[in-house]
Amino acid sequence: MKKLLLGTILLALVIAVPVPAMAGVDINVGIALPPPIEFRAAPDVIVMPDTDDVYVAPDVDVDIYFWNGFWWRNWEGRWYRSHDYNRGWGYYNTVPTFYFDIDPGWRGHYRNHDWYGHRWNYERIRHDQLQHNWNTWHRDRHWERQGTWGIQGYKPRPQHERQELRRQREEQYQKRPEVQKHEQQRQQKDKQDEQQDKKKMKQQKQQDQQDEQQDKKQMKQEKQKDKQDQQQDKKQMKQEKQKDKQDQQQDKKQMKQEKQKDKQDQQQDKKQMKQEKQKDKQDQQQDKKQQKKEGQAGEDKGPDDKGQR
């Protein structure tokens, strides 16, 4: 699909934007470009009566026109345009709208200075004048208003006559062998392009289906992995919960042991204090007994001392 889009964009660019220095070169989309035209100098032009400012180059054997900022030429039933008169031709995929306003016998009128019985005093316009002024002339309707295209005593055809002439010229144009041949080639190419597009669309559809299946498979795998991860998380949470429970039990056991030890220590301390108290009591009794003995010994010693005196 991307290749098809890229090809469509490339074709649109070739049609819409003239590429410099491409005259006589195939543009790789199946459309050959016209052979170059030899110019000794930039061509003078004249403006065509009863047209919307269409200019022609009368001194060039090949019909070459200037209209709406582009140079135009027809070759083998195909139309080409460029911003330059001598290079950069790009294929244009339809007949330009101005063409059916052009009188097919304009060269005879030009040579005779006559436009359907009226003196045609056309003005030759240099290339530089055309490039600088064509847009202003078109906006101001210069050629129609300033002198009715240089035709003496001429009144423009009514709109319904111009429309009828356009219709007739279009019918005559479509009957040309080179135009019919090009139309057949274009229809054939359009058919081939359509088949190619269908083929590409089919391939793209298959690719989309494969991508969709791959996406479904991947989603299924991801879903299974998520499920496994959830189960693993649950298992891990359960293990952590069991460990927390074991830790709590261990803490309770340890606290109980510490409490028992504290109780034993307290009992030991009490026992020791009791023993120390008993020992203190014994020591006191021993001290009293000792004092008593010493007192008795002093009493026994007293009379002897008196006798000696």
Side-chain angles (χ1 to χ4, degrees):
M1 197 71 178
K2 292 181 178 178
K3 291 181 178 179
L4 176 60
L5 179 60
L6 182 61
T8 304
I9 294 173
L10 178 60
L11 179 59
L13 288 173
V14 169
I15 292 171
V17 181
V19 183
M22 289 180 60
V25 179
D26 193 290
I27 53 180
N28 296 322
V29 292
I31 303 296
L33 295 181
I37 303 173
E38 295 294 334
F39 292 92
R40 294 182 180 178
D44 291 346
V45 297
I46 60 172
V47 63
M48 291 296 298
D50 290 321
T51 67
D52 186 19
D53 288 356
V54 179
Y55 301 84
V56 297
D59 300 329
V60 183
D61 293 336
V62 178
D63 286 350
I64 179 171
Y65 310 94
F66 181 88
W67 176 74
N68 200 27
F70 286 94
W71 291 89
W72 303 79
R73 61 182 292 194
N74 180 279
W75 180 66
E76 292 188 348
R78 297 184 292 271
W79 279 92
Y80 303 84
R81 73 176 185 177
S82 172
H83 283 294
D84 297 302
Y85 63 88
N86 60 347
R87 60 191 173 93
W89 295 104
Y91 173 66
Y92 191 76
N93 68 342
T94 188
V95 182
T97 57
F98 71 83
Y99 182 66
F100 299 122
D101 287 329
I102 297 175
D103 193 299
W106 68 268
R107 287 188 181 273
H109 297 304
Y110 167 76
R111 285 191 298 268
N112 297 327
H113 285 267
D114 178 84
W115 190 264
Y116 291 95
H118 296 270
R119 178 68 179 176
W120 185 14
N121 297 320
Y122 49 76
E123 180 181 342
R124 293 178 67 89
I125 306 165
R126 296 194 314 273
H127 179 264
D128 58 336
Q129 290 179 312
L130 177 68
Q131 295 302 313
H132 284 95
N133 298 302
W134 71 267
N135 196 19
T136 304
W137 289 339
H138 176 74
R139 186 178 62 247
D140 298 340
R141 303 185 67 84
H142 172 79
W143 299 109
E144 183 177 352
R145 290 182 176 180
Q146 296 300 321
T148 318
W149 304 288
I151 305 172
Q152 294 181 358
Y154 183 72
K155 292 182 180 180
R157 289 189 175 95
Q159 187 64 25
H160 69 276
E161 281 190 26
R162 294 181 63 175
Q163 291 297 329
E164 179 60 23
L165 280 172
R166 283 182 59 85
R167 187 189 65 78
Q168 293 175 5
R169 291 166 183 166
E170 184 174 2
E171 288 181 355
Q172 293 171 359
Y173 177 83
Q174 296 298 337
K175 291 177 182 179
R176 295 180 187 176
E178 69 274 14
V179 174
Q180 292 180 349
K181 181 179 179 181
H182 171 57
E183 186 62 26
Q184 290 174 356
Q185 291 174 344
R186 188 170 68 171
Q187 289 177 358
Q188 184 177 2
K189 187 177 184 304
D190 289 343
K191 188 175 181 180
Q192 291 174 350
D193 290 342
E194 185 178 358
Q195 292 174 346
Q196 188 68 20
D197 289 344
K198 286 182 179 179
K199 183 179 179 181
K200 289 182 179 180
M201 287 178 67
K202 185 177 180 180
Q203 292 174 345
Q204 184 63 38
K205 189 175 181 180
Q206 291 175 345
Q207 182 64 40
D208 290 341
Q209 289 176 347
Q210 291 176 355
D211 292 342
E212 186 177 358
Q213 291 175 351
Q214 185 66 25
D215 290 341
K216 286 183 179 178
K217 183 178 178 180
Q218 187 174 354
M219 287 177 67
K220 186 176 180 181
Q221 291 174 345
E222 290 178 353
K223 190 174 181 180
Q224 289 176 344
K225 189 177 183 302
D226 289 340
K227 189 175 181 180
Q228 291 174 352
D229 291 341
Q230 288 177 351
Q231 291 175 347
Q232 186 68 24
D233 291 340
K234 286 182 179 179
K235 184 177 179 180
Q236 186 174 354
M237 287 177 66
K238 186 176 180 180
Q239 290 175 346
E240 290 177 353
K241 190 173 182 180
Q242 289 176 345
K243 188 177 183 302
D244 290 340
K245 188 175 181 180
Q246 290 174 354
D247 291 341
Q248 288 177 352
Q249 290 174 348
Q250 185 68 26
D251 290 341
K252 285 182 179 180
K253 184 178 178 180
Q254 187 174 355
M255 287 177 67
K256 185 176 180 180
Q257 290 175 347
E258 289 177 353
K259 191 174 181 180
Q260 288 176 347
K261 188 176 183 302
D262 289 340
K263 188 175 181 180
Q264 290 174 355
D265 291 341
Q266 287 177 356
Q267 290 174 351
Q268 185 68 26
D269 291 340
K270 286 181 180 181
K271 185 178 178 181
Q272 187 174 354
M273 287 177 67
K274 186 176 180 181
Q275 289 174 349
E276 290 178 354
K277 190 174 181 181
Q278 288 176 351
K279 188 176 182 301
D280 289 340
K281 188 175 180 181
Q282 290 174 357
D283 291 340
Q284 287 177 356
Q285 290 175 352
Q286 187 67 29
D287 290 339
K288 286 180 179 181
K289 189 176 179 181
Q290 183 68 29
Q291 289 176 1
K292 187 176 180 181
K293 284 180 178 182
E294 290 177 354
Q296 290 177 354
E299 290 177 358
D300 290 340
K301 207 181 251 192
D304 292 336
D305 290 338
K306 289 178 180 180
Q308 289 177 0
R309 289 174 187 167

